[in-house]
Amino acid sequence: MDRHDDFREFVLARQQALVRTAYLLTGDAHLAEDLLQSVLIKVAGKWPKLSRGGNPEAYTRKALVNQYISWKRRLRPEVPSTELPERGASHDDAALHRIVLRQALARLAPRQRAVIVLRFWEDLTEAQTAEALGCSPGTVKSQAHHALARLRAFAPELACLLNDSEMEEVAR
């Protein structure tokens, strides 16, 4: 198998997980696809080295976060609506919670959002998250703690989803 086939196989195997991460970072399906595409172009150029001895998935995830943060610095800040959409008969509580959470995530700083996405949606350990972000596990803990506090402040209605002991467990 040549390096192009190896790279293609990696992309096919991990594409759904990577696009999900990109979507959770950006909050927009089209931006997520653009983000992933721009990162995969960079990864393709480094593929021979990555496939020989590196961790291609960790590298790609870190590149997604770094590219997202870079984009956020260049683009004007998001100003999410503070009003929830009217609740229709077809909306259930889970859908409403997803909308509220997405709006709250959009209000986090890019680094805090990246920590929340990697730790709790991607289910990475603190050490894996720290490696992906190029920081210490202590920084991950601190960023997660502050991000969760901000999420609670932005969307107190979501606190009912976890009891206090579970919320403390998530914050650790």
Side-chain angles (χ1 to χ4, degrees):
M1 181 180 325
D2 74 355
R3 71 182 185 140
H4 297 291
D5 290 337
D6 192 31
F7 178 70
R8 191 174 299 116
E9 188 176 301
F10 166 76
V11 171
L12 289 173
R14 301 305 307 151
Q15 184 174 7
Q16 283 186 319
L18 293 170
V19 80
R20 182 183 67 228
T21 299
Y23 175 76
L24 289 168
L25 289 169
T26 63
D28 178 274
H30 297 291
L31 279 177
E33 290 173 3
D34 291 347
L35 175 63
L36 181 58
Q37 182 178 4
S38 69
V39 166
L40 288 176
I41 289 168
K42 293 176 184 177
V43 170
K46 298 182 183 292
W47 188 254
K49 182 180 177 183
L50 284 171
S51 64
R52 270 185 267 126
N55 184 342
E57 186 167 356
Y59 179 88
T60 305
R61 192 177 285 119
K62 182 175 183 173
L64 277 172
V65 170
N66 290 340
Q67 185 70 40
Y68 163 72
I69 290 170
S70 175
W71 282 8
K72 289 296 284 186
R73 286 184 186 134
R74 282 185 287 161
L75 299 174
R76 62 186 168 95
E78 272 181 37
V79 182
S81 170
T82 58
E83 295 181 26
L84 293 175
E86 295 239 357
R87 188 172 178 176
S90 64
H91 285 39
D92 61 355
D93 285 341
L96 183 59
H97 287 138
R98 282 192 300 273
I99 292 167
V100 171
L101 180 59
R102 214 169 53 226
Q103 288 176 341
L105 280 171
R107 296 177 69 186
L108 292 177
R111 193 76 148 170
Q112 288 178 339
R113 186 172 181 166
V115 166
I116 294 295
V117 168
L118 294 175
R119 279 288 288 130
F120 303 111
W121 273 273
E122 292 299 321
D123 202 26
L124 298 183
T125 65
E126 288 168 351
Q128 290 169 325
T129 302
E131 181 183 339
L133 295 174
C135 64
S136 72
T139 299
V140 169
K141 288 181 187 180
S142 172
Q143 290 285 319
H145 174 77
H146 293 296
L148 289 171
R150 290 188 72 199
L151 286 174
R152 285 187 204 105
F154 295 148
E157 61 271 37
L158 295 179
C160 67
L161 298 177
L162 297 173
N163 64 39
D164 290 339
S165 63
E166 289 173 323
M167 193 62 87
E168 290 302 316
E169 171 97 6
V170 170
R172 280 190 221 140

